[in-house]
Amino acid sequence: MTEPTHDPELHSRRASSFGEEAAAYAEHRPDYPRAALAWGLDGVTHGAKDVLDLAAGTGKLTQGLVELGVSVTAVEPDPGMLAELTRLLPGVTALEGKAEQIPLPDASVDAVFIGQALHWFDLEPAFAEIARVLRPGGIVQPLWNHDDVSVPWVAEFSATVRSGVSQTWASGERTLETPPGFAPFEENRFHHSQRRTIDSMLATIATHSHLLVSEPAERDAILATAREALRANPATGNGEFDLPLLTTAFRARRL
């Protein structure tokens, strides 16, 4: 169920589909491993103090950065997602804005993190804006959580219910070209997991964009198939279980 790349209208609908499910997104989507965030911060040549979480959603990544002790500004285009972030993280500066027009001054941050969102950007103007707000020696780090398909049951389940276009960026099916003004991207991967039940797993799947824009009958059928698969699997059918994840991170330094 990957997104047709030639359909800009569908791409736009999916990109803007999350706001109405902001509370569910905040409750059920996984966070990011602290080691992945620390790897990005370690790439800043002069030390990281001021950090931008771009397309911050409900603050899944923002929270991790706060816990690492940096000053975080969150920028998010969807008012519903931004409201949920502000409710959950009232001490964080949160601004409405998009990647292609970041509401920050020139050279104002040491790092820009992009969690589960780069695939929605218009890349050329977005990277131009990221370069503008970054200080020299700062880094941009896109990263994605995705299923750890090296685990057999996870691979089998993922084939039943795909998690959307972000999967292609995180699995090596897409590459990141070096944007102007940056050194080439480095890549790293981090093991991660999320404690799940069948119901919470299905609630997470229901926040994926390809289901948010599906017809109700199609969405219900996909979720019903997923429920049966989880019930039938010894690894997932008997209460709580750990969902193995990988976090793929790319890091590029501003020249």
Side-chain angles (χ1 to χ4, degrees):
M1 298 192 65
T2 55
E3 178 186 14
T5 57
H6 63 276
D7 190 339
E9 190 274 335
L10 178 59
H11 185 86
S12 178
R13 284 175 56 214
R14 290 178 66 166
S16 60
S17 66
F18 301 107
E20 293 184 2
E21 297 295 329
Y25 193 105
E27 181 177 359
H28 297 296
R29 285 291 186 107
D31 62 3
Y32 296 87
R34 297 298 177 267
L37 307 185
W39 179 70
L41 295 174
D42 287 345
V44 180
T45 58
H46 52 273
K49 178 183 177 183
D50 303 307
V51 175
L52 168 62
D53 184 2
L54 185 58
T58 61
K60 287 288 181 178
L61 196 154
T62 312
Q63 176 69 52
L65 291 170
V66 169
E67 291 173 0
L68 288 175
V70 293
S71 176
V72 186
T73 298
V75 170
E76 164 59 36
D78 187 285
M81 301 286 272
L82 190 66
E84 190 69 12
L85 186 153
T86 301
R87 183 183 73 81
L88 295 170
L89 299 170
V92 170
T93 299
L95 305 174
E96 187 170 341
K98 58 183 183 177
E100 299 81 6
Q101 193 172 2
I102 300 172
L104 292 179
D106 296 356
S108 56
V109 296
D110 302 304
V112 176
F113 285 80
I114 306 161
Q116 221 80 14
L118 185 72
H119 49 279
W120 302 124
F121 294 177
D122 187 350
L123 293 181
E124 185 175 347
F127 276 123
E129 276 290 273
I130 291 166
R132 180 184 65 80
V133 302
L134 271 174
R135 295 167 184 145
I139 63 98
V140 57
Q141 181 169 309
L143 64 167
W144 289 267
N145 287 319
H146 54 106
D147 299 336
D148 185 354
V149 294
S150 68
V151 180
W153 78 259
V154 177
E156 183 178 351
F157 184 75
S158 295
T160 303
V161 183
R162 289 297 301 270
S163 61
V165 292
S166 64
Q167 195 82 3
T168 65
W169 289 82
S171 65
E173 297 174 36
R174 296 287 297 266
T175 58
L176 286 177
E177 296 182 0
T178 303
F182 287 86
F185 276 102
E186 305 168 77
E187 181 178 354
N188 206 344
R189 293 198 173 198
F190 302 84
H191 287 280
H192 195 31
S193 66
Q194 187 181 24
R195 196 68 174 163
R196 304 273 69 191
T197 64
I198 289 176
D199 286 342
S200 67
M201 183 83 163
L202 294 174
T204 302
I205 294 166
T207 68
H208 293 161
S209 63
H210 70 284
L211 288 184
L212 292 175
V213 302
S214 296
E215 293 297 327
E218 180 186 10
R219 181 168 58 249
D220 291 346
I222 291 170
L223 292 174
T225 299
R227 182 178 291 278
E228 289 308 310
L230 291 169
R231 282 176 173 169
N233 187 340
T236 59
N238 299 302
E240 291 189 340
F241 57 93
D242 287 322
L243 172 64
L245 300 168
L246 279 176
T247 300
T248 298
F250 296 87
R251 181 181 72 183
R253 184 174 290 111
R254 176 78 166 94
L255 299 176

